[in-house]
């Protein structure tokens, strides 16, 4: 856990604690998902704060496991690139956006099916009032925000190849995102009662896409570089860390006596400059084409230099 960025780590912890509290309190008759889950806007239990709290609640162990696994897998990378403030703002805003899209989808179903004209609904084994029926339209889960993080990863590193089970070969991140979006769109159109908020997932991705596009067109929006993509800065920090290690190494080498040095000052400095130029070239290649584009020798060279 110590290598997980701050915001991603805290989001994981909060979600797990919320789920454990839900399971424990449910045994005492208190349903946290009913209190903190997102109800339909016309339901009697709807509250505005639920647009924020629903994304920290989950229906079952499988639900939270896959959401948290994806948050850990992609959130760590995106937060390292963007920084904690921008990452948290993006996560929360896209989660709220996903909730709004789900509310819009539910209102569309309410209007199209003419529920306003009925006082009750006949279920499989019971007849309940329309108010109770609408109150059961409750959405929980971080999926909308997580799908937005997935989209951000695909837009930041479109050419990065990733392995996805059960595919036998890696695929580029941009194709992975498009495939997932296509699956969700197809599911939203073809299924209406599978218990999955497909439009919320798409809503999170939509809000994420619009926000990233806005940041690209307005790189100085917000305060400081808050709206600026830090992909370049990510690799600049990598270069700066290596250069700092290199300067420390040079300082240590310069303290050695001339008797222990086997090469002249000119040869020593020329070799150091050549090493620096080679590392710069490798880092530039990573920034332009991704780590996967490095040859085996280049990866080994970068690994060896990091241990000096």
């Amino acid at each position: 856990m110590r290598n997980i960025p701050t915001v991603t780590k805290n989001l994981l912890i909060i979600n797990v604690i919320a789920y454990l509290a839900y399971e424990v309190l449910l045994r005492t008759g208190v349903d946290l998902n009913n209190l903190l889950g997102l109800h339909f806007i016309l339901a009697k239990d709807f509250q505005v704060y639920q647009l924020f709290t629903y994304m920290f609640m989950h229906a079952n162990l499988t639900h939270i496991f896959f959401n948290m696994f994806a948050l850990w897998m992609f959130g760590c990378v995106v937060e390292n690139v963007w920084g904690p403030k921008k990452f948290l703002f993006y996560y929360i805003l896209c989660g709220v956006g996903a909730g709004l899209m789900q509310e819009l989808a539910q209102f569309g179903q309410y209007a199209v099916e003419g529920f306003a004209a009925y006082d009750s609904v006949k279920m499989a084994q019971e007849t309940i009032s329309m108010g109770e029926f609408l109150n059961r339209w409750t959405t929980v889960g971080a999926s909308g925000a997580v799908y937005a993080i997935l989209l951000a990863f695909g837009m930041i590193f479109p050419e990065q190849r990733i392995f996805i089970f059960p595919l036998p070969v890696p695929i580029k991140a941009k194709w992975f995102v498009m495939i997932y979006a296509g699956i969700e769109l197809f599911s939203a159109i073809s299924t209406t009662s599978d218990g999955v908020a497909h439009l919320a997932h798409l809503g999170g991705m939509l809000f994420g896409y619009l926000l990233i596009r806005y940041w690209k067109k307005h790189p100085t929006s917000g305060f400081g570089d808050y709206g600026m993509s830090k992909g370049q800065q990510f690799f600049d920090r990598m270069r700066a860390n290596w250069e700092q290690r290199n300067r420390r190494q040079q300082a240590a080498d310069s303290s050695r006596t001339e008797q222990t040095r086997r090469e002249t000052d000119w040869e020593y400095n020329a070799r150091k400059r050549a090493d620096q130029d080679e590392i710069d070239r490798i880092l530039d290649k990573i920034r332009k084409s991704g780590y996967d584009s490095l040859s085996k020798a280049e990866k080994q060279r970068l690994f060896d230099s990091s241990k000096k």
Side-chain angles (χ1 to χ4, degrees):
M1 289 287 283
R2 83 179 64 172
N3 294 325
I4 301 177
T6 303
V7 173
T8 301
K9 177 170 64 177
N10 287 329
L11 287 173
L12 291 170
I13 292 173
I14 292 171
N15 276 274
V16 170
I17 291 176
Y19 177 72
L20 292 176
Y22 160 72
E23 289 287 359
V24 171
L25 292 177
L26 191 62
R27 289 165 171 75
T28 67
V30 178
D31 187 353
L32 280 184
N33 280 357
N34 187 56
L35 294 173
L36 303 179
L38 180 60
H39 287 275
F40 178 44
I41 193 169
L42 298 181
K44 62 182 177 66
D45 286 345
F46 171 77
Q47 301 291 336
V48 174
Y49 67 78
Q50 294 168 355
L51 285 167
F52 296 89
T53 57
Y54 88 97
M55 68 184 82
F56 298 101
M57 308 307 299
H58 290 83
N60 51 56
L61 189 60
T62 302
H63 190 200
I64 189 173
F65 172 78
F66 282 106
N67 273 348
M68 295 304 99
F69 179 76
L71 175 59
W72 166 77
M73 183 176 181
F74 298 103
C76 289
V77 179
V78 175
E79 184 180 349
N80 278 328
V81 172
W82 277 351
K85 290 183 179 180
K86 183 175 179 180
F87 177 77
L88 179 60
F89 179 81
Y90 178 86
Y91 182 91
I92 296 297
L93 183 65
C94 292
V96 172
L100 291 173
M101 285 293 293
Q102 180 66 6
E103 290 288 342
L104 182 63
Q106 290 176 340
F107 187 83
Q109 182 181 354
Y110 174 83
V112 170
E113 299 190 16
F115 286 147
Y118 298 92
D119 295 325
S120 61
V121 178
K122 186 175 183 180
M123 306 293 287
Q125 298 178 346
E126 60 179 338
T127 298
I128 61 176
S129 67
M130 179 57 66
E132 178 62 25
F133 175 71
L134 295 179
N135 211 46
R136 294 185 182 184
W137 287 7
T138 308
T139 304
V140 294
S143 300
V146 170
Y147 268 69
I149 297 299
L150 174 62
L151 173 81
F153 180 87
M155 294 183 72
I156 297 171
F157 304 105
E159 303 300 321
Q160 182 66 43
R161 296 180 180 274
I162 54 180
F163 279 96
I164 300 296
F165 180 83
L167 298 180
V169 295
I171 62 174
K172 292 183 177 181
K174 61 183 178 182
W175 300 124
F176 172 64
V177 171
M178 291 180 185
I179 290 171
Y180 253 69
I183 291 174
E184 286 302 309
L185 181 60
F186 175 79
S187 299
I189 295 173
S190 61
T191 59
T192 58
S193 58
D194 61 351
V196 179
H198 299 291
L199 285 175
H201 301 170
L202 291 172
M205 298 182 83
L206 174 62
F207 271 75
Y209 176 79
L210 294 176
L211 188 55
I212 292 173
R213 293 291 296 176
Y214 177 81
W215 280 338
K216 285 186 176 181
K217 290 184 178 181
H218 304 84
T220 58
S221 61
F223 51 91
D225 61 355
Y226 187 65
M228 187 180 299
S229 175
K230 297 186 179 179
Q232 177 69 38
Q233 296 178 28
F234 178 74
F235 292 106
D236 287 345
R237 288 197 301 270
M238 187 176 180
R239 180 196 296 270
N241 290 337
W242 187 90
E243 290 176 346
Q244 185 178 15
R245 287 195 298 268
N246 189 48
R247 285 194 296 270
R248 288 199 298 265
Q249 182 65 32
Q250 287 179 338
D253 290 343
S254 65
S255 65
R256 297 173 184 171
T257 61
E258 291 296 323
Q259 290 78 10
T260 61
R261 186 181 296 167
R262 296 183 179 180
E263 52 192 350
T264 66
D265 288 340
W266 186 89
E267 292 172 336
Y268 175 79
N269 291 331
R271 178 171 60 80
K272 286 295 183 181
R273 282 195 299 272
D275 289 343
Q276 177 72 54
D277 291 342
E278 175 65 9
I279 294 300
D280 288 347
R281 183 190 66 79
I282 294 174
L283 292 175
D284 286 338
K285 187 174 181 181
I286 293 175
R287 185 176 66 252
K288 293 177 181 178
S289 305
Y291 181 78
D292 197 50
S293 66
L294 299 183
S295 65
K296 184 177 180 181
E298 289 171 330
K299 292 178 181 178
Q300 186 63 42
R301 183 65 179 273
L302 190 63
F303 177 75
D304 292 341
S305 69
S306 67
K307 297 193 298 181
K308 292 182 179 179

